[in-house]
Amino acid sequence: MALLSNIKRLHRNNVATLRSSPVAEISGALGDLGTLLPLMITLAVNGSISLSTTLVFSGFYNLATGVVFGIPLPVQPMKAIAAAAIASHASERHTMAAGSVVAIIVLLLSITGLLHWVTRIIPIPVVKGIQFGAGLSLIISAGTSLLQPFTHHWSFALDNLVWAFAAFLLLVFTQRAYRFPYALIIFIVGVILAIISVATSHHHFPHFRIWHPYVEIPKWSADAIGMGIAQLPLTTLNSIIAASALAADLLPDLPTPSVTALGISVASMNLLGCWFGAMPVCHGAGGLAAQYRFGARSGASIIMLGLFKMLLGIIFGESLLDLLKAFPKTLLGIMVIAAGLELAKVGQSLNHGASDLWEASVDQNQNHYRRHRDVSDQERAERWTVMLMTTAGILAFKNDAIGFVAGMLCYWAYKFADWIESKRSRESGERAPLLHT
């Protein structure tokens, strides 16, 4: 009953938000395309996923996520699995198996309470470091994979750095226009350029091609299990723990999804889709930051996105591939940079406003309230160091798990130093004379 009541409340908020700012919600829905399109297209071209099934299933996940959680929580590719599948040209069965491995482990962690327990013992500076590192990683990946290839190629009139520079200028000059439909405008421009590109080449426009679902039995080989294990730290730390923390930061007036709920959501999506050729997916702090940055403030944005994706998948399916491949990479790159900046910005609340800096208090009239505790200069510096150590590990090794371990070691090194100082203080106090003459 509590779940149903919560869904009704979120539905009212979704409808009210959509009515008050429909353009912003539509724009925000498109904010995560920079992450989705490149990986989905490459996987489909390699035969590692079914494009039509991925659109239909991920669209359904978007719709369900918007209804249940009521926030612009993304449904995006599992990046480590996608990268490994692209590099090895993995088959559909191997890719599906990798996603199911992650789903099974995350489900076990969620229903046993281990995921919730892990979240409670991870210090906020480490969580902020994961978010900060994920944001900077997005910016770096946008530069290296989407923008840098065009620095020496100006022959592509419909996709070059001129378009990137124009998109960047528009982004800069609309920074304070929070409801400006930036992503919607960039998407429309990109679609127009893609249509022109297809029309002037030997490629084909999308045509009516009804979706025909089929069952695909995953192949749990050693390589597939290895891909799933490699994805696990990224899913648990960024897709679940960091996403939950970011939702609380960005949308404090809405119920924050618990890590257990997000874990069950990720597991359910992949345990369902792994039998039909759908791309392994998860949620993610980066996608949430992107959709928020471009205007989304409720679940209505991704409900609309989900319906649109399902419609495309059912009607056009694989025939969309040529048009999607023609979408300008430079425009996607600027969108990814904007998403990375939005995610990295959460680091600014580390020493003022972070959830672990608020404590319960009682005033003279016995009224309970929360107050922000004072933070010493030394503690501020140590918290920054822990966050930056976490970020450094993520960026240096391109691995969230290494960054997490580095941040935790740094945090506990400070705690150990505090314990040593406290012990010395107690010992010196015990040896001090009671009376001074």
Side-chain angles (χ1 to χ4, degrees), residues 84-261:
I86 291 169
S88 62
H89 289 268
S91 66
E92 275 191 22
R93 295 179 63 192
H94 284 93
T95 307
M96 299 308 104
S100 68
V101 168
V102 178
I104 292 169
I105 296 175
V106 168
L107 182 62
L108 291 175
L109 291 174
S110 300
I111 62 178
T112 58
L114 285 174
L115 198 56
H116 179 69
W117 176 78
V118 168
T119 305
R120 290 174 58 190
I121 66 171
I122 299 177
I124 292 297
V126 174
V127 175
K128 294 286 187 184
I130 294 170
Q131 295 171 328
F132 192 49
L136 296 182
S137 295
L138 282 175
I139 295 170
I140 294 171
S141 67
T144 54
S145 62
L146 295 174
L147 297 175
Q148 190 174 354
F150 292 91
T151 55
H152 302 294
H153 298 281
W154 296 87
S155 57
F156 306 108
L158 301 176
D159 191 8
N160 56 46
L161 293 185
V162 173
W163 292 102
F165 185 65
F168 178 74
L169 287 179
L170 182 63
L171 178 68
V172 169
F173 286 112
T174 58
Q175 286 185 97
R176 291 192 175 181
Y178 300 113
R179 292 293 180 172
F180 182 79
Y182 178 87
L184 178 59
I185 291 173
I186 294 298
F187 176 74
I188 292 173
V189 172
V191 169
I192 292 173
L193 293 176
I195 290 173
I196 295 173
S197 177
V198 172
T200 56
S201 68
H202 63 278
H203 297 300
H204 303 286
F205 282 109
H207 54 273
F208 184 76
R209 186 173 178 179
I210 198 72
W211 175 52
H212 295 289
Y214 57 89
V215 175
E216 185 80 86
I217 305 299
K219 188 173 183 178
W220 289 281
S221 65
D223 289 340
I225 294 173
M227 287 194 295
I229 297 299
Q231 173 67 40
L232 194 60
L234 187 60
T235 294
T236 53
L237 296 173
N238 181 50
S239 174
I240 298 174
I241 295 173
S244 177
L246 184 64
D249 287 339
L250 297 181
L251 301 159
D253 297 330
L254 293 175
T256 300
S258 68
V259 291
T260 300

